[in-house]
Amino acid sequence: MRLSEGVEWALHSCTTLALLPPDATLPAARLAEFHGVPPAYCAKHLQELRAAGIIESTAGRKGGYRLARLASEITFWDVVQAVESDTRAFRCTEIRQRGPTAIAKARYSPVCGIARVMYGAEQAWRRELEARTIQDAVDSIVRDADPQVAVKALRWFQEVLT
Amino acid sequence: MRLSEGVEWALHSCTTLALLPPDATLPAARLAEFHGVPPAYCAKHLQELRAAGIIESTAGRKGGYRLARLASEITFWDVVQAVESDTRAFRCTEIRQRGPTAIAKARYSPVCGIARVMYGAEQAWRRELEARTIQDAVDSIVRDADPQVAVKALRWFQEVLT
DNA sequence: GTCCCTATACTCGGATAGCAAGTGTCCGAGTATAGGCGG
DNA sequence: CCGCCTATACTCGGACACTTGCTATCCGAGTATAGGGAC
């Protein structure tokens, strides 16, 4: 089981955008540079975030990305769902309906008991992600980050935003 | 994000083995036949369950697999962990330590705030799976299954176990 | 009738191809900007 | 000096190769059984 690496990039990208002054935009290439990841591939994931309505894009010179709504209104779940094509990890193929014991499809309970447990576990996972927002990530970074990083980041932002 | 299809097979296989009379064994090929899945591939997952100490194998004629311990002592988590090579879905690559804001490694907090949230969510998922056992699956099947299936299963067991 | 031996058929187990999805990259279409020109 | 126009450079966005890991399969090694033979 593997979550796409893009989820990590997307979460960090949203958090970084949340740190910018209101209405400031940051191009995909700069965002990739800030995180030290391949620009083209990073851009791909930003497009997915845009398609999901989490971030907005501005074209042309001085263009770039910015959050589409408040960081406190964007949950981790929103981001994961945007990047990951299918967030349902366990997929029941109804093997209980195959083999020598198979009977008419209508006579089976609507959901397999094993699938029910797996779905329940994933729901617990989802609930945790829905309870956390990008603002929480911003807060934890502000709280935990070394002052030296804060200075470097601020300086880099000022240089890039001109 | 995708959980291996083998997880479903493994869970159903364990549940089926739990339905057998004590100390009875069932060959991999029969187990695959019962679930209508490719025998060779199914056998591969059974080997993983064996390596994890969840089921036991007996070689030679009249050999096969059986549970290594009580169904109530085997959690869903045990099975998932056995089949899935790596159960950690989110993998933090520490991109916060890359790019223009990078500083000495020792000055970073031990765990990234974003990763902490993701790990927490997975822990919630894991906890749910640890709370459910194969016995629970057996109970739900006994409760929900159509009598017709029960009859067919019993008949098939008797025929196969000779 | 009982015990032992041997051949057998069946089991598991690891090593080997095939395929799909995620990973990584590129170039083209579109647009806000900046400079130059005219009034 | 001010406003408009045009060329430009930069942005995003979708279409195209590559690699990793899951999917699927096979054949060989090992073993408990079943039958036959000897005592």
Side-chain angles (χ1 to χ4, degrees), chain B residues 58-82:
Chain B
T58 310
R61 278 181 85 156
K62 298 278 180 181
Y65 289 100
R66 69 162 172 271
L67 294 185
R69 53 182 189 266
L70 287 175
S72 58
E73 298 292 325
I74 302 171
T75 68
F76 272 58
W77 173 249
D78 293 333
V79 176
V80 169
Q81 205 175 15

Side-chain angles (χ1 to χ4, degrees), chain A residues 113-147:
Chain A
I114 287 173
R116 183 161 41 226
V117 171
M118 297 304 288
Y119 292 159
E122 288 184 33
Q123 204 166 9
W125 174 68
R126 173 176 170 173
R127 263 198 256 273
E128 286 285 318
L129 295 180
E130 283 175 332
R132 301 285 177 180
T133 69
I134 296 300
Q135 185 62 49
D136 293 332
V138 171
D139 292 343
S140 76
I141 283 181
V142 168
R143 175 161 29 84
D144 295 344
D146 189 286

